[in-house]
Amino acid sequence: MPLLGGEHYNELFTDNSESLEGKLLFAVPKKGRLLQAALNLLEGADIQFRRENRLDIALVKNLPIALVFLPAADIPTFVGEGRVSIGITGRDTVAEHASGVQAQRRERGSETPTEDLDNIGSEEIMDLGFGACKLQVQVPEKGSYVEPKDLIGKNVGTSFVSLAEDYFAALEAEQDGTSGQSSGKRKLRTKIIELSGSVEAACALGVADGIVDLVESGETMKAAGLKAVDTVVSSTAVLIKSKNPTNPALVDLIASRILGVITAQKYVLCQYNVQRSKLQAATKITPGRRAPTINALEEEGWVAVSSMVEKKQIATVMDKLTEVGATDILVLAIANTRVG
């Protein structure tokens, strides 16, 4: 039961099978809102590569890894089927893929995973902290629809078909008073229309009465004359892995490096001197990730303290340290780190 779509990407692996032999495949969004942040993360993790002429495959120079550039929406499918071991994509696309797999299980007449579906799916390794957005139900600002339930039985456009179907199935069950009852695949009264792009224009063009679409700043939604009436999924970029990666140790190494980069981006190193009598008050302000480092100074009664502090809080922390008597306060950037 193939889940993969797009002959071009299936041929991609076949045509490059020789150069990919022995390589861990790492999927990266080929374009869109996640691409540049993902590339910055790879650079920080010292994953060195050169993407020739924007090809869809790039071999990493210093590790046995091949980067595969794929549409973000397809990455959970490739990772979930084990064609790719690890990938960066949005949590919304992971949820869409998982929902689609569950729908196929229901179509087979059982909620129990069948043998060929048992190992399909991905596991989230970590939240990467960028690409925040929400998958929301949206309706025309000046229309008659006020609540999500007003769209029951209407036309709803989306590129997230499985999540939209799940959402409106639950909404219809709630309206019918059948919530929580297991009755197999439910026939929807609401018509879910699959759209691949420009979803926000569907209402204005008369294609749909409402939509389920991603919202970042909300500017595009407002420009299209739409308003959000509910959130289906809140999303950020995530690092995911296959349930059966080809090289688990290398996956762990990549994850460790990326976690180090993310931590370095979030923290700075705060160093200061303080009298030992005021040390307890100072370390309450800078407890560090595990504990601060404290060293005695040559001057009797004084210590030097080093502690990791969240970058966004550093100005307030410095003010408080000054108030309790700390001196010589320095803030140093962290280029990279490894955390336990």
Side-chain angles (χ1 to χ4, degrees), residues 6-31:
E7 292 183 2
H8 167 70
Y9 294 106
N10 288 321
E11 292 172 356
L12 186 67
F13 295 96
T14 303
D15 295 344
N16 292 276
S17 59
E18 186 173 336
S19 64
L20 297 180
E21 187 174 352
K23 305 287 188 182
L24 180 90
L25 300 187
F26 188 162
V28 181
K30 68 179 297 182
K31 60 182 179 180

mmCIF file with all atom_site columns, all heavy atoms in Angstrom, residues 6-31:
data_model
loop_
_atom_site.group_PDB
_atom_site.id
_atom_site.type_symbol
_atom_site.label_atom_id
_atom_site.label_alt_id
_atom_site.label_comp_id
_atom_site.label_asym_id
_atom_site.label_entity_id
_atom_site.label_seq_id
_atom_site.pdbx_PDB_ins_code
_atom_site.Cartn_x
_atom_site.Cartn_y
_atom_site.Cartn_z
_atom_site.occupancy
_atom_site.B_iso_or_equiv
_atom_site.pdbx_formal_charge
_atom_site.auth_seq_id
_atom_site.auth_comp_id
_atom_site.auth_asym_id
_atom_site.auth_atom_id
_atom_site.pdbx_PDB_model_num
ATOM 1   N N   . GLY A 1 6  ? 4.158  11.375 -6.232  1.00 0.00 ? 6  GLY A N   1
ATOM 2   C CA  . GLY A 1 6  ? 5.134  12.148 -6.982  1.00 0.00 ? 6  GLY A CA  1
ATOM 3   C C   . GLY A 1 6  ? 6.200  11.264 -7.582  1.00 0.00 ? 6  GLY A C   1
ATOM 4   O O   . GLY A 1 6  ? 7.146  10.864 -6.915  1.00 0.00 ? 6  GLY A O   1
ATOM 5   N N   . GLU A 1 7  ? 6.052  10.915 -8.867  1.00 0.00 ? 7  GLU A N   1
ATOM 6   C CA  . GLU A 1 7  ? 7.009  10.021 -9.505  1.00 0.00 ? 7  GLU A CA  1
ATOM 7   C C   . GLU A 1 7  ? 8.416  10.608 -9.515  1.00 0.00 ? 7  GLU A C   1
ATOM 8   O O   . GLU A 1 7  ? 9.410  9.889  -9.422  1.00 0.00 ? 7  GLU A O   1
ATOM 9   C CB  . GLU A 1 7  ? 6.555  9.725  -10.942 1.00 0.00 ? 7  GLU A CB  1
ATOM 10  C CG  . GLU A 1 7  ? 5.278  8.897  -11.003 1.00 0.00 ? 7  GLU A CG  1
ATOM 11  C CD  . GLU A 1 7  ? 4.894  8.567  -12.432 1.00 0.00 ? 7  GLU A CD  1
ATOM 12  O OE1 . GLU A 1 7  ? 5.661  8.959  -13.340 1.00 0.00 ? 7  GLU A OE1 1
ATOM 13  O OE2 . GLU A 1 7  ? 3.849  7.935  -12.617 1.00 0.00 ? 7  GLU A OE2 1
ATOM 14  N N   . HIS A 1 8  ? 8.514  11.940 -9.619  1.00 0.00 ? 8  HIS A N   1
ATOM 15  C CA  . HIS A 1 8  ? 9.831  12.579 -9.669  1.00 0.00 ? 8  HIS A CA  1
ATOM 16  C C   . HIS A 1 8  ? 10.667 12.203 -8.458  1.00 0.00 ? 8  HIS A C   1
ATOM 17  O O   . HIS A 1 8  ? 11.859 11.900 -8.584  1.00 0.00 ? 8  HIS A O   1
ATOM 18  C CB  . HIS A 1 8  ? 9.669  14.093 -9.729  1.00 0.00 ? 8  HIS A CB  1
ATOM 19  C CG  . HIS A 1 8  ? 10.941 14.847 -9.479  1.00 0.00 ? 8  HIS A CG  1
ATOM 20  N ND1 . HIS A 1 8  ? 11.990 14.860 -10.376 1.00 0.00 ? 8  HIS A ND1 1
ATOM 21  C CD2 . HIS A 1 8  ? 11.353 15.597 -8.416  1.00 0.00 ? 8  HIS A CD2 1
ATOM 22  C CE1 . HIS A 1 8  ? 12.972 15.585 -9.896  1.00 0.00 ? 8  HIS A CE1 1
ATOM 23  N NE2 . HIS A 1 8  ? 12.617 16.044 -8.715  1.00 0.00 ? 8  HIS A NE2 1
ATOM 24  N N   . TYR A 1 9  ? 10.062 12.186 -7.262  1.00 0.00 ? 9  TYR A N   1
ATOM 25  C CA  . TYR A 1 9  ? 10.820 11.924 -6.046  1.00 0.00 ? 9  TYR A CA  1
ATOM 26  C C   . TYR A 1 9  ? 11.098 10.436 -5.864  1.00 0.00 ? 9  TYR A C   1
ATOM 27  O O   . TYR A 1 9  ? 12.090 10.062 -5.254  1.00 0.00 ? 9  TYR A O   1
ATOM 28  C CB  . TYR A 1 9  ? 10.092 12.522 -4.841  1.00 0.00 ? 9  TYR A CB  1
ATOM 29  C CG  . TYR A 1 9  ? 10.071 14.018 -4.942  1.00 0.00 ? 9  TYR A CG  1
ATOM 30  C CD1 . TYR A 1 9  ? 8.911  14.703 -5.285  1.00 0.00 ? 9  TYR A CD1 1
ATOM 31  C CD2 . TYR A 1 9  ? 11.234 14.756 -4.752  1.00 0.00 ? 9  TYR A CD2 1
ATOM 32  C CE1 . TYR A 1 9  ? 8.916  16.080 -5.418  1.00 0.00 ? 9  TYR A CE1 1
ATOM 33  C CE2 . TYR A 1 9  ? 11.251 16.124 -4.888  1.00 0.00 ? 9  TYR A CE2 1
ATOM 34  C CZ  . TYR A 1 9  ? 10.081 16.789 -5.216  1.00 0.00 ? 9  TYR A CZ  1
ATOM 35  O OH  . TYR A 1 9  ? 10.087 18.146 -5.360  1.00 0.00 ? 9  TYR A OH  1
ATOM 36  N N   . ASN A 1 10 ? 10.237 9.577  -6.392  1.00 0.00 ? 10 ASN A N   1
ATOM 37  C CA  . ASN A 1 10 ? 10.555 8.155  -6.361  1.00 0.00 ? 10 ASN A CA  1
ATOM 38  C C   . ASN A 1 10 ? 11.740 7.857  -7.274  1.00 0.00 ? 10 ASN A C   1
ATOM 39  O O   . ASN A 1 10 ? 12.633 7.089  -6.940  1.00 0.00 ? 10 ASN A O   1
ATOM 40  C CB  . ASN A 1 10 ? 9.340  7.338  -6.797  1.00 0.00 ? 10 ASN A CB  1
ATOM 41  C CG  . ASN A 1 10 ? 8.242  7.336  -5.757  1.00 0.00 ? 10 ASN A CG  1
ATOM 42  O OD1 . ASN A 1 10 ? 8.524  7.258  -4.572  1.00 0.00 ? 10 ASN A OD1 1
ATOM 43  N ND2 . ASN A 1 10 ? 7.004  7.437  -6.187  1.00 0.00 ? 10 ASN A ND2 1
ATOM 44  N N   . GLU A 1 11 ? 11.760 8.504  -8.463  1.00 0.00 ? 11 GLU A N   1
ATOM 45  C CA  . GLU A 1 11 ? 12.866 8.318  -9.396  1.00 0.00 ? 11 GLU A CA  1
ATOM 46  C C   . GLU A 1 11 ? 14.160 8.904  -8.846  1.00 0.00 ? 11 GLU A C   1
ATOM 47  O O   . GLU A 1 11 ? 15.260 8.430  -9.161  1.00 0.00 ? 11 GLU A O   1
ATOM 48  C CB  . GLU A 1 11 ? 12.529 8.980  -10.736 1.00 0.00 ? 11 GLU A CB  1
ATOM 49  C CG  . GLU A 1 11 ? 11.388 8.281  -11.473 1.00 0.00 ? 11 GLU A CG  1
ATOM 50  C CD  . GLU A 1 11 ? 10.934 9.074  -12.695 1.00 0.00 ? 11 GLU A CD  1
ATOM 51  O OE1 . GLU A 1 11 ? 11.469 10.186 -12.905 1.00 0.00 ? 11 GLU A OE1 1
ATOM 52  O OE2 . GLU A 1 11 ? 10.052 8.586  -13.413 1.00 0.00 ? 11 GLU A OE2 1
ATOM 53  N N   . LEU A 1 12 ? 14.028 9.930  -7.996  1.00 0.00 ? 12 LEU A N   1
ATOM 54  C CA  . LEU A 1 12 ? 15.197 10.592 -7.422  1.00 0.00 ? 12 LEU A CA  1
ATOM 55  C C   . LEU A 1 12 ? 16.092 9.599  -6.701  1.00 0.00 ? 12 LEU A C   1
ATOM 56  O O   . LEU A 1 12 ? 17.314 9.603  -6.849  1.00 0.00 ? 12 LEU A O   1
ATOM 57  C CB  . LEU A 1 12 ? 14.725 11.680 -6.452  1.00 0.00 ? 12 LEU A CB  1
ATOM 58  C CG  . LEU A 1 12 ? 15.756 12.608 -5.832  1.00 0.00 ? 12 LEU A CG  1
ATOM 59  C CD1 . LEU A 1 12 ? 16.362 13.495 -6.908  1.00 0.00 ? 12 LEU A CD1 1
ATOM 60  C CD2 . LEU A 1 12 ? 15.093 13.476 -4.765  1.00 0.00 ? 12 LEU A CD2 1
ATOM 61  N N   . PHE A 1 13 ? 15.466 8.714  -5.928  1.00 0.00 ? 13 PHE A N   1
ATOM 62  C CA  . PHE A 1 13 ? 16.231 7.734  -5.165  1.00 0.00 ? 13 PHE A CA  1
ATOM 63  C C   . PHE A 1 13 ? 16.801 6.641  -6.074  1.00 0.00 ? 13 PHE A C   1
ATOM 64  O O   . PHE A 1 13 ? 17.918 6.182  -5.889  1.00 0.00 ? 13 PHE A O   1
ATOM 65  C CB  . PHE A 1 13 ? 15.347 7.116  -4.084  1.00 0.00 ? 13 PHE A CB  1
ATOM 66  C CG  . PHE A 1 13 ? 14.893 8.090  -3.044  1.00 0.00 ? 13 PHE A CG  1
ATOM 67  C CD1 . PHE A 1 13 ? 13.658 8.709  -3.130  1.00 0.00 ? 13 PHE A CD1 1
ATOM 68  C CD2 . PHE A 1 13 ? 15.711 8.417  -1.969  1.00 0.00 ? 13 PHE A CD2 1
ATOM 69  C CE1 . PHE A 1 13 ? 13.246 9.626  -2.183  1.00 0.00 ? 13 PHE A CE1 1
ATOM 70  C CE2 . PHE A 1 13 ? 15.305 9.328  -1.015  1.00 0.00 ? 13 PHE A CE2 1
ATOM 71  C CZ  . PHE A 1 13 ? 14.065 9.937  -1.126  1.00 0.00 ? 13 PHE A CZ  1
ATOM 72  N N   . THR A 1 14 ? 16.016 6.243  -7.071  1.00 0.00 ? 14 THR A N   1
ATOM 73  C CA  . THR A 1 14 ? 16.463 5.194  -7.986  1.00 0.00 ? 14 THR A CA  1
ATOM 74  C C   . THR A 1 14 ? 17.644 5.662  -8.831  1.00 0.00 ? 14 THR A C   1
ATOM 75  O O   . THR A 1 14 ? 18.651 4.958  -8.968  1.00 0.00 ? 14 THR A O   1
ATOM 76  C CB  . THR A 1 14 ? 15.305 4.772  -8.914  1.00 0.00 ? 14 THR A CB  1
ATOM 77  O OG1 . THR A 1 14 ? 14.205 4.340  -8.117  1.00 0.00 ? 14 THR A OG1 1
ATOM 78  C CG2 . THR A 1 14 ? 15.742 3.641  -9.829  1.00 0.00 ? 14 THR A CG2 1
ATOM 79  N N   . ASP A 1 15 ? 17.544 6.853  -9.382  1.00 0.00 ? 15 ASP A N   1
ATOM 80  C CA  . ASP A 1 15 ? 18.587 7.378  -10.262 1.00 0.00 ? 15 ASP A CA  1
ATOM 81  C C   . ASP A 1 15 ? 19.898 7.651  -9.529  1.00 0.00 ? 15 ASP A C   1
ATOM 82  O O   . ASP A 1 15 ? 20.960 7.667  -10.145 1.00 0.00 ? 15 ASP A O   1
ATOM 83  C CB  . ASP A 1 15 ? 18.114 8.670  -10.937 1.00 0.00 ? 15 ASP A CB  1
ATOM 84  C CG  . ASP A 1 15 ? 16.942 8.435  -11.882 1.00 0.00 ? 15 ASP A CG  1
ATOM 85  O OD1 . ASP A 1 15 ? 16.711 7.258  -12.227 1.00 0.00 ? 15 ASP A OD1 1
ATOM 86  O OD2 . ASP A 1 15 ? 16.258 9.405  -12.250 1.00 0.00 ? 15 ASP A OD2 1
ATOM 87  N N   . ASN A 1 16 ? 19.820 7.881  -8.213  1.00 0.00 ? 16 ASN A N   1
ATOM 88  C CA  . ASN A 1 16 ? 21.020 8.199  -7.434  1.00 0.00 ? 16 ASN A CA  1
ATOM 89  C C   . ASN A 1 16 ? 21.400 7.086  -6.467  1.00 0.00 ? 16 ASN A C   1
ATOM 90  O O   . ASN A 1 16 ? 22.134 7.316  -5.504  1.00 0.00 ? 16 ASN A O   1
ATOM 91  C CB  . ASN A 1 16 ? 20.801 9.496  -6.646  1.00 0.00 ? 16 ASN A CB  1
ATOM 92  C CG  . ASN A 1 16 ? 20.695 10.711 -7.544  1.00 0.00 ? 16 ASN A CG  1
ATOM 93  O OD1 . ASN A 1 16 ? 21.678 11.294 -7.953  1.00 0.00 ? 16 ASN A OD1 1
ATOM 94  N ND2 . ASN A 1 16 ? 19.458 11.088 -7.865  1.00 0.00 ? 16 ASN A ND2 1
ATOM 95  N N   . SER A 1 17 ? 20.917 5.871  -6.726  1.00 0.00 ? 17 SER A N   1
ATOM 96  C CA  . SER A 1 17 ? 21.115 4.772  -5.777  1.00 0.00 ? 17 SER A CA  1
ATOM 97  C C   . SER A 1 17 ? 22.585 4.485  -5.506  1.00 0.00 ? 17 SER A C   1
ATOM 98  O O   . SER A 1 17 ? 22.977 4.165  -4.385  1.00 0.00 ? 17 SER A O   1
ATOM 99  C CB  . SER A 1 17 ? 20.416 3.504  -6.286  1.00 0.00 ? 17 SER A CB  1
ATOM 100 O OG  . SER A 1 17 ? 20.931 3.148  -7.561  1.00 0.00 ? 17 SER A OG  1
ATOM 101 N N   . GLU A 1 18 ? 23.428 4.618  -6.553  1.00 0.00 ? 18 GLU A N   1
ATOM 102 C CA  . GLU A 1 18 ? 24.857 4.305  -6.374  1.00 0.00 ? 18 GLU A CA  1
ATOM 103 C C   . GLU A 1 18 ? 25.536 5.335  -5.479  1.00 0.00 ? 18 GLU A C   1
ATOM 104 O O   . GLU A 1 18 ? 26.272 4.978  -4.545  1.00 0.00 ? 18 GLU A O   1
ATOM 105 C CB  . GLU A 1 18 ? 25.548 4.259  -7.735  1.00 0.00 ? 18 GLU A CB  1
ATOM 106 C CG  . GLU A 1 18 ? 26.989 3.795  -7.646  1.00 0.00 ? 18 GLU A CG  1
ATOM 107 C CD  . GLU A 1 18 ? 27.604 3.591  -9.018  1.00 0.00 ? 18 GLU A CD  1
ATOM 108 O OE1 . GLU A 1 18 ? 26.853 3.355  -9.985  1.00 0.00 ? 18 GLU A OE1 1
ATOM 109 O OE2 . GLU A 1 18 ? 28.843 3.668  -9.098  1.00 0.00 ? 18 GLU A OE2 1
ATOM 110 N N   . SER A 1 19 ? 25.286 6.626  -5.723  1.00 0.00 ? 19 SER A N   1
ATOM 111 C CA  . SER A 1 19 ? 25.932 7.672  -4.920  1.00 0.00 ? 19 SER A CA  1
ATOM 112 C C   . SER A 1 19 ? 25.369 7.731  -3.508  1.00 0.00 ? 19 SER A C   1
ATOM 113 O O   . SER A 1 19 ? 26.026 8.240  -2.596  1.00 0.00 ? 19 SER A O   1
ATOM 114 C CB  . SER A 1 19 ? 25.775 9.032  -5.597  1.00 0.00 ? 19 SER A CB  1
ATOM 115 O OG  . SER A 1 19 ? 24.410 9.399  -5.673  1.00 0.00 ? 19 SER A OG  1
ATOM 116 N N   . LEU A 1 20 ? 24.161 7.208  -3.308  1.00 0.00 ? 20 LEU A N   1
ATOM 117 C CA  . LEU A 1 20 ? 23.531 7.252  -1.986  1.00 0.00 ? 20 LEU A CA  1
ATOM 118 C C   . LEU A 1 20 ? 23.851 6.022  -1.147  1.00 0.00 ? 20 LEU A C   1
ATOM 119 O O   . LEU A 1 20 ? 23.481 5.975  0.034   1.00 0.00 ? 20 LEU A O   1
ATOM 120 C CB  . LEU A 1 20 ? 22.006 7.381  -2.134  1.00 0.00 ? 20 LEU A CB  1
ATOM 121 C CG  . LEU A 1 20 ? 21.492 8.652  -2.802  1.00 0.00 ? 20 LEU A CG  1
ATOM 122 C CD1 . LEU A 1 20 ? 19.977 8.634  -2.886  1.00 0.00 ? 20 LEU A CD1 1
ATOM 123 C CD2 . LEU A 1 20 ? 21.962 9.895  -2.055  1.00 0.00 ? 20 LEU A CD2 1
ATOM 124 N N   . GLU A 1 21 ? 24.503 5.046  -1.730  1.00 0.00 ? 21 GLU A N   1
ATOM 125 C CA  . GLU A 1 21 ? 24.784 3.806  -1.005  1.00 0.00 ? 21 GLU A CA  1
ATOM 126 C C   . GLU A 1 21 ? 25.622 4.091  0.244   1.00 0.00 ? 21 GLU A C   1
ATOM 127 O O   . GLU A 1 21 ? 26.651 4.762  0.193   1.00 0.00 ? 21 GLU A O   1
ATOM 128 C CB  . GLU A 1 21 ? 25.527 2.825  -1.910  1.00 0.00 ? 21 GLU A CB  1
ATOM 129 C CG  . GLU A 1 21 ? 25.689 1.450  -1.275  1.00 0.00 ? 21 GLU A CG  1
ATOM 130 C CD  . GLU A 1 21 ? 26.306 0.445  -2.240  1.00 0.00 ? 21 GLU A CD  1
ATOM 131 O OE1 . GLU A 1 21 ? 26.455 0.795  -3.436  1.00 0.00 ? 21 GLU A OE1 1
ATOM 132 O OE2 . GLU A 1 21 ? 26.636 -0.664 -1.794  1.00 0.00 ? 21 GLU A OE2 1
ATOM 133 N N   . GLY A 1 22 ? 25.150 3.601  1.377   1.00 0.00 ? 22 GLY A N   1
ATOM 134 C CA  . GLY A 1 22 ? 25.855 3.780  2.637   1.00 0.00 ? 22 GLY A CA  1
ATOM 135 C C   . GLY A 1 22 ? 25.631 5.131  3.289   1.00 0.00 ? 22 GLY A C   1
ATOM 136 O O   . GLY A 1 22 ? 26.188 5.399  4.360   1.00 0.00 ? 22 GLY A O   1
ATOM 137 N N   . LYS A 1 23 ? 24.810 5.980  2.675   1.00 0.00 ? 23 LYS A N   1
ATOM 138 C CA  . LYS A 1 23 ? 24.550 7.311  3.221   1.00 0.00 ? 23 LYS A CA  1
ATOM 139 C C   . LYS A 1 23 ? 23.252 7.324  4.031   1.00 0.00 ? 23 LYS A C   1
ATOM 140 O O   . LYS A 1 23 ? 22.268 6.683  3.660   1.00 0.00 ? 23 LYS A O   1
ATOM 141 C CB  . LYS A 1 23 ? 24.421 8.345  2.095   1.00 0.00 ? 23 LYS A CB  1
ATOM 142 C CG  . LYS A 1 23 ? 25.605 8.412  1.146   1.00 0.00 ? 23 LYS A CG  1
ATOM 143 C CD  . LYS A 1 23 ? 26.804 9.073  1.784   1.00 0.00 ? 23 LYS A CD  1
ATOM 144 C CE  . LYS A 1 23 ? 27.899 9.296  0.748   1.00 0.00 ? 23 LYS A CE  1
ATOM 145 N NZ  . LYS A 1 23 ? 29.117 9.892  1.342   1.00 0.00 ? 23 LYS A NZ  1
ATOM 146 N N   . LEU A 1 24 ? 23.269 8.062  5.115   1.00 0.00 ? 24 LEU A N   1
ATOM 147 C CA  . LEU A 1 24 ? 22.039 8.328  5.852   1.00 0.00 ? 24 LEU A CA  1
ATOM 148 C C   . LEU A 1 24 ? 21.299 9.440  5.110   1.00 0.00 ? 24 LEU A C   1
ATOM 149 O O   . LEU A 1 24 ? 21.869 10.501 4.834   1.00 0.00 ? 24 LEU A O   1
ATOM 150 C CB  . LEU A 1 24 ? 22.360 8.778  7.280   1.00 0.00 ? 24 LEU A CB  1
ATOM 151 C CG  . LEU A 1 24 ? 21.128 9.081  8.139   1.00 0.00 ? 24 LEU A CG  1
ATOM 152 C CD1 . LEU A 1 24 ? 20.690 7.817  8.855   1.00 0.00 ? 24 LEU A CD1 1
ATOM 153 C CD2 . LEU A 1 24 ? 21.417 10.175 9.162   1.00 0.00 ? 24 LEU A CD2 1
ATOM 154 N N   . LEU A 1 25 ? 20.043 9.229  4.782   1.00 0.00 ? 25 LEU A N   1
ATOM 155 C CA  . LEU A 1 25 ? 19.276 10.225 4.045   1.00 0.00 ? 25 LEU A CA  1
ATOM 156 C C   . LEU A 1 25 ? 18.566 11.160 5.016   1.00 0.00 ? 25 LEU A C   1
ATOM 157 O O   . LEU A 1 25 ? 17.856 10.727 5.921   1.00 0.00 ? 25 LEU A O   1
ATOM 158 C CB  . LEU A 1 25 ? 18.262 9.542  3.125   1.00 0.00 ? 25 LEU A CB  1
ATOM 159 C CG  . LEU A 1 25 ? 18.855 8.596  2.073   1.00 0.00 ? 25 LEU A CG  1
ATOM 160 C CD1 . LEU A 1 25 ? 17.763 8.128  1.110   1.00 0.00 ? 25 LEU A CD1 1
ATOM 161 C CD2 . LEU A 1 25 ? 19.992 9.254  1.313   1.00 0.00 ? 25 LEU A CD2 1
ATOM 162 N N   . PHE A 1 26 ? 18.760 12.454 4.800   1.00 0.00 ? 26 PHE A N   1
ATOM 163 C CA  . PHE A 1 26 ? 18.263 13.510 5.679   1.00 0.00 ? 26 PHE A CA  1
ATOM 164 C C   . PHE A 1 26 ? 17.422 14.451 4.807   1.00 0.00 ? 26 PHE A C   1
ATOM 165 O O   . PHE A 1 26 ? 17.949 15.117 3.922   1.00 0.00 ? 26 PHE A O   1
ATOM 166 C CB  . PHE A 1 26 ? 19.466 14.236 6.286   1.00 0.00 ? 26 PHE A CB  1
ATOM 167 C CG  . PHE A 1 26 ? 19.147 15.247 7.372   1.00 0.00 ? 26 PHE A CG  1
ATOM 168 C CD1 . PHE A 1 26 ? 20.144 15.675 8.229   1.00 0.00 ? 26 PHE A CD1 1
ATOM 169 C CD2 . PHE A 1 26 ? 17.873 15.795 7.535   1.00 0.00 ? 26 PHE A CD2 1
ATOM 170 C CE1 . PHE A 1 26 ? 19.902 16.608 9.231   1.00 0.00 ? 26 PHE A CE1 1
ATOM 171 C CE2 . PHE A 1 26 ? 17.607 16.720 8.528   1.00 0.00 ? 26 PHE A CE2 1
ATOM 172 C CZ  . PHE A 1 26 ? 18.629 17.124 9.367   1.00 0.00 ? 26 PHE A CZ  1
ATOM 173 N N   . ALA A 1 27 ? 16.114 14.503 5.049   1.00 0.00 ? 27 ALA A N   1
ATOM 174 C CA  . ALA A 1 27 ? 15.205 15.321 4.244   1.00 0.00 ? 27 ALA A CA  1
ATOM 175 C C   . ALA A 1 27 ? 15.127 16.747 4.773   1.00 0.00 ? 27 ALA A C   1
ATOM 176 O O   . ALA A 1 27 ? 14.962 16.965 5.979   1.00 0.00 ? 27 ALA A O   1
ATOM 177 C CB  . ALA A 1 27 ? 13.813 14.703 4.227   1.00 0.00 ? 27 ALA A CB  1
ATOM 178 N N   . VAL A 1 28 ? 15.245 17.693 3.856   1.00 0.00 ? 28 VAL A N   1
ATOM 179 C CA  . VAL A 1 28 ? 15.211 19.123 4.181   1.00 0.00 ? 28 VAL A CA  1
ATOM 180 C C   . VAL A 1 28 ? 14.188 19.796 3.261   1.00 0.00 ? 28 VAL A C   1
ATOM 181 O O   . VAL A 1 28 ? 14.109 19.446 2.078   1.00 0.00 ? 28 VAL A O   1
ATOM 182 C CB  . VAL A 1 28 ? 16.603 19.764 3.963   1.00 0.00 ? 28 VAL A CB  1
ATOM 183 C CG1 . VAL A 1 28 ? 16.581 21.240 4.310   1.00 0.00 ? 28 VAL A CG1 1
ATOM 184 C CG2 . VAL A 1 28 ? 17.654 19.037 4.789   1.00 0.00 ? 28 VAL A CG2 1
ATOM 185 N N   . PRO A 1 29 ? 13.399 20.745 3.766   1.00 0.00 ? 29 PRO A N   1
ATOM 186 C CA  . PRO A 1 29 ? 12.450 21.445 2.890   1.00 0.00 ? 29 PRO A CA  1
ATOM 187 C C   . PRO A 1 29 ? 13.177 22.116 1.724   1.00 0.00 ? 29 PRO A C   1
ATOM 188 O O   . PRO A 1 29 ? 14.175 22.795 1.927   1.00 0.00 ? 29 PRO A O   1
ATOM 189 C CB  . PRO A 1 29 ? 11.818 22.490 3.811   1.00 0.00 ? 29 PRO A CB  1
ATOM 190 C CG  . PRO A 1 29 ? 12.007 21.944 5.192   1.00 0.00 ? 29 PRO A CG  1
ATOM 191 C CD  . PRO A 1 29 ? 13.315 21.222 5.163   1.00 0.00 ? 29 PRO A CD  1
ATOM 192 N N   . LYS A 1 30 ? 12.680 21.911 0.520   1.00 0.00 ? 30 LYS A N   1
ATOM 193 C CA  . LYS A 1 30 ? 13.387 22.434 -0.653  1.00 0.00 ? 30 LYS A CA  1
ATOM 194 C C   . LYS A 1 30 ? 13.079 23.907 -0.913  1.00 0.00 ? 30 LYS A C   1
ATOM 195 O O   . LYS A 1 30 ? 13.797 24.583 -1.631  1.00 0.00 ? 30 LYS A O   1
ATOM 196 C CB  . LYS A 1 30 ? 13.075 21.601 -1.895  1.00 0.00 ? 30 LYS A CB  1
ATOM 197 C CG  . LYS A 1 30 ? 11.648 21.684 -2.407  1.00 0.00 ? 30 LYS A CG  1
ATOM 198 C CD  . LYS A 1 30 ? 11.481 20.829 -3.664  1.00 0.00 ? 30 LYS A CD  1
ATOM 199 C CE  . LYS A 1 30 ? 12.353 21.322 -4.805  1.00 0.00 ? 30 LYS A CE  1
ATOM 200 N NZ  . LYS A 1 30 ? 12.162 20.521 -6.052  1.00 0.00 ? 30 LYS A NZ  1
ATOM 201 N N   . LYS A 1 31 ? 12.003 24.421 -0.329  1.00 0.00 ? 31 LYS A N   1
ATOM 202 C CA  . LYS A 1 31 ? 11.652 25.834 -0.479  1.00 0.00 ? 31 LYS A CA  1
ATOM 203 C C   . LYS A 1 31 ? 10.659 26.195 0.611   1.00 0.00 ? 31 LYS A C   1
ATOM 204 O O   . LYS A 1 31 ? 10.287 25.377 1.439   1.00 0.00 ? 31 LYS A O   1
ATOM 205 C CB  . LYS A 1 31 ? 11.056 26.102 -1.866  1.00 0.00 ? 31 LYS A CB  1
ATOM 206 C CG  . LYS A 1 31 ? 9.787  25.312 -2.168  1.00 0.00 ? 31 LYS A CG  1
ATOM 207 C CD  . LYS A 1 31 ? 9.286  25.608 -3.575  1.00 0.00 ? 31 LYS A CD  1
ATOM 208 C CE  . LYS A 1 31 ? 8.027  24.802 -3.878  1.00 0.00 ? 31 LYS A CE  1
ATOM 209 N NZ  . LYS A 1 31 ? 7.514  25.086 -5.249  1.00 0.00 ? 31 LYS A NZ  1
#
